[in-house]
Amino acid sequence: MTASSPLRRNRRPTNPGMILREHYLVPRKILQKHFAGDVEISARHLSHIINGHARIDPPLAARIAKTLGTTTAFWVNLQAAVDAWDGEQAEANWQPQTVYPPERAVS
């Protein structure tokens, strides 16, 4: 790998719902239905998030962060990593007609 090539992942990033469950809810013995009520979403919606079938949007990320004592950016960044991976996979075979490389800095 060279300095100019980006780091490539071989797998999809862990969805933020799984991190929520495994690193926050389970160790603290917080029931999903109680946590869902605490962040004002349905238990079904939380289940969809945990199972990777729904996204954590920024307003929900803020509520999760406030409830768990983390940061909104933490949850938004976890979701962004999954979204970026999914986008790259969906467009893996697409090629632009024209490429506009970044300009080099003048020294």
Side-chain angles (χ1 to χ4, degrees):
M1 181 177 314
T2 66
S4 63
S5 68
L7 177 65
R8 297 249 181 221
R9 287 182 175 257
N10 293 325
R11 67 169 185 81
R12 187 176 192 244
T14 303
N15 85 67
M18 181 167 295
I19 291 170
L20 173 63
R21 181 182 63 212
E22 296 301 320
H23 294 276
Y24 293 91
L25 302 183
V26 170
R28 298 177 186 189
K29 298 180 173 66
I30 301 170
L31 295 177
Q32 287 184 27
K33 67 180 181 179
H34 292 158
F35 187 76
D38 292 338
V39 296
E40 299 180 352
I41 61 173
S42 71
R44 182 180 179 139
H45 186 61
L46 180 60
S47 177
H48 284 263
I49 289 169
I50 286 174
N51 291 303
H53 303 298
R55 300 177 72 259
I56 294 178
D57 61 19
L60 179 55
R63 292 194 302 250
I64 291 170
K66 287 178 181 180
T67 305
L68 296 175
T70 61
T71 65
T72 302
F74 174 71
W75 299 102
V76 168
N77 289 336
L78 289 173
Q79 186 63 58
V82 172
D83 292 347
W85 169 268
D86 290 346
E88 287 175 7
Q89 297 306 304
E91 300 300 325
N93 295 321
W94 181 83
Q95 292 296 319
Q97 291 181 11
T98 306
V99 176
Y100 302 97
E103 293 183 22
R104 293 187 178 183
V106 178
S107 36

